[in-house]
Amino acid sequence: MTAFYPSDQFGYSTLLSDDELAVLQGLREVLDREVQPLLADHWEAGEFPYQIVPKLVELDLMNAGTSALYGGFRNFELARTDASVATFYNAQSGLFRTTVNLGGSPAQVAALDARIASFDCTGVFALTEPEHGSDIAGGLATTARRTGDTWVLNGAKRWIGGASSADVLAVFARDEADGQVKAFLVAADAPGVILRKIQRKTSLRIMQNADIDLVNVQVAETDRLQRINSFKDVAALLRSMRSDVAWIATGLQAGAYEAALRYAKTREQFGKPLAAFQLTQQKLATMLGNVTASLGLVVRLSQQQEAGVFTEENSALAKMFCCERMRHTVALAREIVGGNGITLDTDVARFHADAEAVYSYEGTHEINSLIVGRAVTGQSAFS
């Protein structure tokens, strides 16, 4: 039987149900037919192909499968095609939906979850700031001041992917009264919200990231997410979200491996295909090992989370390890493709460049390493 993924050497995808595999097959067909042909031109232009969004929405991917493993392989399938498309979709299905479902009151979840799943209400996760990324827990500078049943937000956010096309921004701000972090659902077109596209990126060029200024933005208390009342509550969101990024990193390296393998089988040098050379085979074997190890880790992480086990160090370890293996894998893909690996024609250059953004977002390698180190030693190395 042909493997569902050429990069799934140990057959982890066989843990999915037949129905889940059928949904993923349908997704692949849309990605191959509707998305793949657009990627190179839109990457070079630094623009997102918004015409693909209705095609993805029609698949009803958030309701088509319920297992955590299906959700992981959905990210894997998207990322093995393109990291920006995976990041765009995950901004809705992972970041925004998780923020509302874990951070909202039961009434807020009931009102919004179905609309989020259908893309009737689109949103993004606005935590990172221009001067605060890794130190956001203690350094978050955006403020919220309550007057009666209205909050006034002031501050700035940066690197907010998908903000320019979103209906709602999930904005995290520090309450001036108690110093604790709260979260607010802010209309993207609300008075005082100023969005600017971040230009001149060399990674995830298809994904539209924004700088956001918040100037005396008024938000009703009813639009405050009721179960986010400290950064401890935000950290609970991140524990869940990091598993999504680990899956994206794994899918991206699978895409790079499969692209390099296709090239090696067809490109001839010295009278034979590159795939016939020992050094090429060694690189391919190493890349496949990286993908296989990453898949094993994220599959087990998803199984744990489905069983209700959410630990900060496990999600941090997955993000840290899979992203490090991803960086190695895309570098080897670039070596195999040679000079053609710096053009967009083989897909390898896109994977190679986009890996740098995935390596850094949802917690840098260093921060995730320290989260794991704190757990295993009992000693915090954070300043």
Side-chain angles (χ1 to χ4, degrees), residues 20-42:
E20 289 170 333
L21 286 171
V23 172
L24 293 174
Q25 180 62 48
L27 171 59
R28 181 180 305 173
E29 291 169 1
V30 169
L31 292 172
D32 289 346
R33 183 180 66 250
E34 307 288 347
V35 178
Q36 178 68 37
L38 304 175
L39 295 176
D41 288 343
H42 281 78

Side-chain angles (χ1 to χ4, degrees), residues 313 370-382:
E313 61 269 24
L370 293 180
I371 291 171
V372 177
R374 180 178 60 191
V376 299
T377 65
Q379 301 291 322
S380 176
F382 291 94

Side-chain angles (χ1 to χ4, degrees), residues 295-352:
L295 264 174
L297 200 158
V298 293
V299 163
R300 184 59 186 142
L301 178 65
S302 290
Q303 289 173 330
Q304 282 189 334
Q305 292 184 343
E306 185 156 32
V309 178
F310 287 85
T311 61
E312 189 173 35
E313 61 269 24
N314 284 4
S315 56
L317 179 64
K319 202 283 179 175
M320 177 198 79
F321 178 85
C322 295
C323 283
E324 187 173 52
R325 293 302 88 204
M326 171 192 65
R327 229 182 187 187
H328 186 210
T329 299
V330 298
L332 291 174
R334 165 73 186 83
E335 289 179 16
I336 288 173
V337 180
N340 289 329
I342 65 168
T343 73
L344 294 169
D345 297 331
T346 65
D347 296 327
V348 167
R350 181 165 45 81
F351 287 122
H352 185 263

Side-chain angles (χ1 to χ4, degrees), residues 115-134:
R115 295 183 62 208
I116 294 170
S118 67
F119 279 74
D120 178 57
C121 174
T122 58
V124 294
F125 180 83
L127 175 64
T128 303
E129 299 182 346
E131 302 301 326
H132 299 285
S134 295

Side-chain angles (χ1 to χ4, degrees), residues 12 48 80 84 123 135-136 181-182 198 213 219 224 241 268 277 292 325 358:
Y12 290 112
F48 193 89
R80 84 186 259 274
S84 284
D135 70 343
I136 197 70
V181 175
K182 308 290 199 301
I198 296 176
D213 290 330
V219 187
R224 181 178 68 84
M241 294 170 179
E268 290 195 359
F277 290 91
T292 303
R325 293 302 88 204
V358 178

Side-chain angles (χ1 to χ4, degrees), residues 8-180:
D8 183 12
Q9 183 71 14
F10 283 13
Y12 290 112
S13 59
T14 62
L15 298 172
L16 295 164
S17 70
D18 290 342
D19 288 344
E20 289 170 333
L21 286 171
V23 172
L24 293 174
Q25 180 62 48
L27 171 59
R28 181 180 305 173
E29 291 169 1
V30 169
L31 292 172
D32 289 346
R33 183 180 66 250
E34 307 288 347
V35 178
Q36 178 68 37
L38 304 175
L39 295 176
D41 288 343
H42 281 78
W43 198 97
E44 189 163 36
E47 298 292 341
F48 193 89
Y50 287 105
Q51 63 267 41
I52 72 174
V53 177
K55 301 292 184 181
L56 295 174
V57 172
E58 286 174 10
L59 295 171
D60 196 24
L61 296 172
M62 280 185 258
N63 291 319
T66 58
S67 74
L69 201 57
Y70 161 77
F73 271 105
R74 181 186 64 207
N75 281 331
F76 180 90
E77 184 70 54
L78 289 162
R80 84 186 259 274
T81 297
D82 184 72
S84 284
V85 174
T87 302
F88 175 87
Y89 194 90
N90 188 64
Q92 178 80 359
S93 67
L95 298 177
F96 185 56
R97 194 182 193 195
T98 298
T99 299
V100 171
N101 284 353
L102 295 185
S105 67
Q108 288 172 321
V109 174
L112 289 172
D113 184 59
R115 295 183 62 208
I116 294 170
S118 67
F119 279 74
D120 178 57
C121 174
T122 58
V124 294
F125 180 83
L127 175 64
T128 303
E129 299 182 346
E131 302 301 326
H132 299 285
S134 295
D135 70 343
I136 197 70
L140 190 142
T142 299
T143 61
R145 184 181 71 256
R146 183 171 182 173
T147 303
D149 287 333
T150 301
W151 294 82
V152 179
L153 308 186
N154 282 282
K157 298 297 177 179
R158 183 165 173 80
W159 295 117
I160 310 307
S164 60
S165 60
D167 301 318
V168 178
L169 315 173
V171 174
F172 296 83
R174 193 175 300 280
D175 186 348
E176 291 182 354
D178 63 9
Q180 297 298 320

